[in-house]
Amino acid sequence: MKKGFYIIAILLLSLPAMARHVAGGELFYEYQGPGNPLSNGTTTSIYKITLRLFRDCASTGPLLQNESVTVGIYADGLLNTSLPLPLVAPIRSISLNTAAFPCLVGNVSVCYEIGIYSATITLANNTNGYVLSRTGCCRVDNISNLSAKTSVGSNYVTTIPGTATLPAGHNSSPQFLIKDTALVCANKPFILDFGAVDPDNDVLSYSLCDAFTSASGGNTTVPSYNLSLLSLPYLSPYSGSLPLGPAVSIDPNTGIISGIAPPEGSYVVNVCITEWRNGTAFTQHRKDFILKVQNCDFIEADLPPKIIQCNNFSVHFENGSTSSAITSYLWQFGDTAHSSSTAPTIDYIYKDTGRYVASLTVTGPKGCIGSDSTLVLVYPGFKPGFTINGSCYQNPFLFTDSTTTSYGLVNSWHWNFGDASTSADTSILQNPQYKYATPGTRDISFIVTNTKGCIDSVHKQLVVNTKPLINLPFRDTLICSIDSLPIKVPNSGIYNWLPNTNILNANTSSPVVFPKTTTWYFVHVTDNGCENTDSLIVNVLDFIKVNAGKDSIVCTGDTFRLKPISTALGYQWQSSTGVQIDNIKYPLVEPLVNTQYYVIANLGKCQDRDTVSISVVPYPVSIAGPDATICFGTRIQLKASAKGISFQWSPANSLSDASILNPVAAPSKTTRYLLKVIDTIGCPKPGLDSLLITVAPPVVANAGKDTFILVNQPVQLQASGGVSYSWTPETGLSNASIANPILTLDDRFTSINYIVKVSDQYGCFAEDGIEVKVFKTGPEIFVPSAFTPNKDGKNDILRPITVGISTLKYFRVFNRWGQLVFTTSEMGKGWDGNLGSLPQASGTYVFEAEGVDYQGKLVFRKGTSVLIR
């Protein structure tokens, strides 16, 4: 059902220009035939040795045509000979960019060069073979899966087998299929084919393994005397076997690398091929390359091969691709209704059971399309289950399948019995048996399928005991000497009880005992060869006694727990008032009047009785008085009443005397006072009551700002801070009992002071005053002739003083060069002598002001003012 969607691009990719130039390499050999025997009669073989080397096109490092290539040939770890490899073919380059892939999202521009170096050599046939090594410098910088980021050397290695591992015949290296052109996008699924063919038809297996670095970190025409195979310094969590992280693996049979790509970056990857002949591994070949994972994306539909729904009819559909370039979705659900959806994800409810083929088509920019399909199996009503029967580890346990299915037949079973001591603890039988070697707790897992494709699993824990369980109903009990006692054990097996006196059914799991004295009973159980013993004691009394307790006093409304003293096992209670009581040993009661409580205590047929009297007395009377509200800073006398001999108020710190009934309270904040009263009538507990004194917040009276008015100019005053207001004097006011009266004064006044009393809803009040100056001129805008912005609080601001002006259109200040340094249209605002955050120099400044008076006429004023510092 899967439709793969892959984009071709370069695998060995370039980095920004740098001296580090090596992007990968492979050293391999080809058997050419037998050589001339040596003088001592040793046979020889001729091999063609080849190095394929990759270089970053953008590198400023050495060109491939100038590369010095010398291969060291080692026998038993020591240098046997050196072989220079000349360049044998023209350098070729492969490049690619995003323009070649219209459906690719991201900027991909890559290029690398390939150089082939080769020569032949005759080698003596030996026992342990040869290791070929070419060391060089340097790999490209900033490789993501290495801890060293610069000057990382390279060492390309291959092995010619000797007669110890290849007794007969000869060998040539496997040849990797040159498929260095598969795109890898960061955090996206990918596939790289690193399959190879073998000229000798050997069997090949693939793995990811450590790549090597050079000891000197540089190219050398003289290989070192000792073979050096130094692994690259991998950066955790990466390693040679996990070069692209845990989400990427290689197929050991095909050489295909696949998984979810790591984050963007460059990664060293080394593929090792093990060659097998006649069932025996005899040598290994390697290819070392740098994979560039890019920040790219592509249009893709990714569905699982199969979706199985065996719980209900609702199936969840979601694209497995996280491509950011998808612009639309089209789902087809494959049922007879031909239903479809354009939602990114959907829970679709099928009308009936069956097999359906659902498909998804996604589209992106430039008409790019991706599609995939999946088989959907809808067969609800599949419920896995199983039961376990067994006694102990010495015998097999029986596991029985209890799976039910509404459709199809249960057709496969896979059991795992959780035995960590062996790998043979599995079964595919429907109802298997398994015998454990040791006791312990086991985790049993069971996977089951049916013919409709449903698959599910269930887990249970099994306690494997050393001996069969004996679930005794008690360990220690008490009976009366005239009673009998049944003992019921809910376990299977063969039972034998001792002593065999005063007992019935001694060979069953349900005996009845009737001892006359205290007796230990021992039981032996045999269950399918497993044995166990246990015991219990039956204490015997000839009679019992009960003491209901001492007569007591309780306070009205309190609960009281009766506490009789007795060895009885059963109790029956009654009260003199007829109130029902729980028939337990220690019942909870709440007597409202003086009451007697009667108890009958039983131990089987043994019985005794007793009585206890409880007297009820009232609590001391405590009446704290009504809640009240006071003004901040005032006091109030509390007026409580009580019946008792002592009184105590709390908290006491704001009271004149906390030990009297009527103290004076002066709280600074809202406070709840608690009154505790104690008497000597009989109730040992105090009477409690409380009251709340609410302290009203202070009234903040505000009469408004001092102001200027003209003769006969109406001005509205504005007080605030309360709910009621009273102005004095009432001269010129339209209403002295409101917050905002209209003030009009004639030419008899030059100024007048008003006081306003502001009260809140509790009657608390405060006062504030305002001065009103009366000008006998017309409407005017006054501007001071000088100001001193030295932040002393006096004459710091140059602001216009408006008289008879209802609206200020603007107030502007200019310096001597005509630059505007300040402007406002708000009354009361002015210039602080700064331009931005910079203080301006002392000197003369020009102002302009224009306003509208209370009659609607324009008033314009212009002049100068001196800034003095």
Side-chain angles (χ1 to χ4, degrees), residues 401-672:
D401 172 31
S402 60
T403 302
T404 59
T405 181
S406 300
Y407 301 94
L409 300 173
V410 178
N411 66 342
S412 76
W413 306 265
H414 185 274
W415 299 85
N416 188 310
F417 303 117
D419 193 343
S421 64
T422 177
S423 60
D425 62 334
T426 62
S427 176
I428 58 173
L429 298 177
Q430 182 177 9
N431 301 310
Q433 291 185 348
Y434 186 79
K435 182 179 179 180
Y436 292 95
T438 58
T441 300
R442 306 296 196 275
D443 185 15
I444 313 300
S445 66
F446 178 45
I447 302 173
V448 62
T449 67
N450 70 5
T451 54
K452 294 298 185 181
C454 296
I455 181 171
D456 206 346
S457 64
V458 63
H459 296 261
K460 289 184 181 180
Q461 279 201 335
L462 168 65
V463 178
V464 180
N465 294 299
T466 305
K467 302 174 181 179
L469 289 176
I470 303 177
N471 293 315
L472 295 175
F474 54 84
R475 295 284 179 182
D476 189 343
T477 193
L478 181 68
I479 66 171
C480 186
S481 60
I482 59 176
D483 288 331
S484 59
L485 175 67
I487 304 174
K488 295 183 179 181
V489 182
N491 298 97
S492 60
I494 300 174
Y495 285 75
N496 183 33
W497 294 84
L498 292 175
N500 196 9
T501 57
N502 297 325
I503 187 171
L504 300 177
N505 305 320
N507 294 322
T508 72
S509 62
S510 302
V512 177
V513 298
F514 43 92
K516 302 306 176 185
T517 60
T518 296
T519 303
W520 277 95
Y521 286 93
F522 301 89
V523 60
H524 181 269
V525 178
T526 302
D527 188 4
N528 292 323
C530 300
E531 297 184 12
N532 196 9
T533 59
D534 209 344
S535 62
L536 57 84
I537 186 172
V538 179
N539 298 282
V540 180
L541 296 177
D542 292 328
F543 60 89
I544 62 166
K545 297 293 291 181
V546 63
N547 181 353
K550 296 182 179 180
D551 296 343
S552 301
I553 296 175
V554 299
C555 301
T556 303
D558 282 1
T559 57
F560 178 86
R561 191 169 296 279
L562 300 172
K563 295 183 178 180
I565 301 172
S566 177
T567 56
L569 298 181
Y571 297 85
Q572 293 179 317
W573 291 90
Q574 289 183 335
S575 67
S576 60
T577 59
V579 175
Q580 291 196 358
I581 305 170
D582 292 336
N583 287 319
I584 59 176
K585 186 172 185 178
Y586 303 123
L588 190 67
V589 296
E590 185 182 354
L592 301 178
V593 297
N594 295 343
T595 305
Q596 286 188 319
Y597 294 97
Y598 313 102
V599 62
I600 300 175
N602 295 86
L603 178 62
K605 296 177 182 177
C606 295
Q607 188 179 94
D608 193 24
R609 63 185 64 210
D610 196 16
T611 304
V612 62
S613 296
I614 304 298
S615 299
V616 179
V617 296
Y619 269 88
V621 176
S622 173
I623 302 175
D627 295 343
T629 300
I630 64 173
C631 298
F632 181 83
T634 62
R635 301 182 176 189
I636 186 172
Q637 185 170 29
L638 305 185
K639 298 179 179 180
S641 59
K643 292 182 179 179
I645 61 170
S646 66
F647 318 100
Q648 185 65 44
W649 290 90
S650 62
N653 57 353
S654 57
L655 298 175
S656 59
D657 188 343
S659 61
I660 62 175
L661 272 180
N662 302 310
V664 174
S668 60
K669 61 182 180 180
T670 298
T671 303
R672 179 170 292 280

Side-chain angles (χ1 to χ4, degrees), residues 696-719:
V699 177
V700 179
N702 184 6
K705 295 182 179 180
D706 295 343
T707 188
F708 304 90
I709 65 172
L710 296 176
V711 173
N712 297 321
Q713 174 200 352
V715 174
Q716 187 172 45
L717 303 183
Q718 185 64 60

Side-chain angles (χ1 to χ4, degrees), residues 170-187:
H170 301 278
N171 189 60
S172 295
S173 297
Q175 295 293 303
F176 281 98
L177 303 174
I178 306 300
K179 294 183 178 179
D180 302 325
T181 51
L183 177 68
V184 178
C185 294
N187 303 309

